[in-house]
Amino acid sequence: EDQVTQSPEALRLQEGESSSLNCSYTVSGLRGLFWYRQDPGKGPEFLFTLYSAGEEKEKERLKATLTKKESFLHITAPKPEDSATYLCAVEDSSASKIIFGSGTRLSIRP
Amino acid sequence: DTGVSQDPRHKITKRGQNVTFRCDPISEHNRLYWYRQTLGQGPEFLTYFQNEAQLEKSRLLSDRFSAERPKGSFSTLEIQRTEQGDSAMYLCASSEGANIEQFFGPGTRLTVL
C-alpha cells in the first residue's frame, strides 16, 4: 500500500538557520512526488514536482531532491515568511490520486 | 485565470442536516478532485472526475456522500445527514490533461454541531 511519512512533525528555526525536511515514501511505481506549502486555513500551494531519482528543483530559498526512497526539502537562510506546513505527496503510476503525508510544521523565529 | 474557487468558505450546520459545497476548477482543467483534511493531517483523497465522469471513489466516501460534475465544469459535493465526524476542511483541486500537478482551492471549512 502506498505510504508517505514526513519528519520531523514540527521544526522551529532561527531566521537564517538552514535545515532540511524529510519525506519517505513507498509506492509500487512512482509517477511523481510533490511538495506543497500550506498556510493556516488555506488550501495547499503547489511548489515542486519531482519525477525520478536524482532530480532536483529550486525555488527561491527552497530546493527539493529525490532518491528512490525519500525526498528532501532543503531550506536555505529561511525568513519568518517561510513559516508554514510543508506537505509531501506521491502519485502511484497505477492510480490518479495523490497520497499525502501529515506534513512538517515549520516555524521561523525572527 | 483566478485559480480554483470554492463556495462557501465556511459552513456551520447541525447534526443531521444536509450540506452542499461547490468547486469551480481552473478553466480548461479536465480533472477535478475532492479531498478532506482534518487538523494536523494531510489531505485525504475522496473522489476524482475526468470531465463529467466520476472515475474513482475512496472507501472513505460513505453512502452519505455524493459528488457530481455536470457538463464537466463545476462540481458539487453533498453530505447527507451530517455527523460530527464530518467536521473537516473539504478541498477541491484540478489538473490539466497529461499534467499531474494538482492545484488546490482555498477549501470549505465544515463544522457540524
Side-chain angles (χ1 to χ4, degrees), chain A residues 95-97, chain B residues 30-34 45-51 53-58 95 102:
Chain A
S96 295
K97 62 183 180 183
Chain B
N30 61 335
R31 297 182 181 180
L32 187 148
Y33 307 80
W34 285 100
F45 171 81
L46 292 178
T47 191
Y48 149 60
F49 290 86
Q50 182 161 311
N51 299 312
Q54 188 173 19
L55 296 186
E56 191 169 349
K57 292 169 62 174
S58 166
S95 67
Q102 296 182 19

Side-chain angles (χ1 to χ4, degrees), chain A residues 59-83:
Chain A
K59 179 180 180 180
E60 297 181 353
R61 294 176 292 281
L62 299 176
K63 178 180 177 180
T65 62
L66 180 65
T67 72
K68 288 186 177 180
K69 294 184 177 180
E70 56 190 352
S71 176
F72 293 92
L73 184 66
H74 307 278
I75 182 162
T76 303
K79 299 181 178 181
E81 54 262 41
D82 295 322
S83 297

Side-chain angles (χ1 to χ4, degrees), chain B residues 10-55:
Chain B
H10 303 274
K11 178 70 176 179
I12 299 174
T13 191
K14 293 182 178 179
R15 188 176 51 188
Q17 297 295 305
N18 299 343
V19 294
T20 300
F21 309 141
R22 176 180 171 125
C23 170
D24 287 89
I26 295 171
S27 58
E28 299 180 357
H29 277 198
N30 61 335
R31 297 182 181 180
L32 187 148
Y33 307 80
W34 285 100
Y35 292 84
R36 179 171 65 190
Q37 186 177 26
T38 54
L39 197 62
Q41 299 298 314
E44 293 178 294
F45 171 81
L46 292 178
T47 191
Y48 149 60
F49 290 86
Q50 182 161 311
N51 299 312
E52 65 274 12
Q54 188 173 19
L55 296 186

Side-chain angles (χ1 to χ4, degrees), chain B residues 6 10 16 19 26-27 35 37 40 50 54 63-64 66-67 75 86-87 96 106 108 113:
Chain B
Q6 294 186 244
H10 303 274
V19 294
I26 295 171
S27 58
Y35 292 84
Q37 186 177 26
Q50 182 161 311
Q54 188 173 19
D63 291 343
R64 297 184 297 106
S66 62
S75 176
D86 296 330
S87 296
E96 177 187 16
T108 295
L113 302 176

Side-chain angles (χ1 to χ4, degrees), chain B residues 46-94:
Chain B
L46 292 178
T47 191
Y48 149 60
F49 290 86
Q50 182 161 311
N51 299 312
E52 65 274 12
Q54 188 173 19
L55 296 186
E56 191 169 349
K57 292 169 62 174
S58 166
R59 285 168 290 183
L60 293 174
L61 213 64
S62 76
D63 291 343
R64 297 184 297 106
F65 288 70
S66 62
E68 294 182 342
R69 192 183 183 198
K71 303 180 182 178
S73 56
F74 71 93
S75 176
T76 58
L77 178 68
E78 181 182 17
I79 308 174
Q80 297 182 327
R81 304 181 302 281
T82 53
E83 301 172 356
Q84 288 186 325
D86 296 330
S87 296
M89 174 79 88
Y90 290 84
L91 293 162
C92 176
S94 68

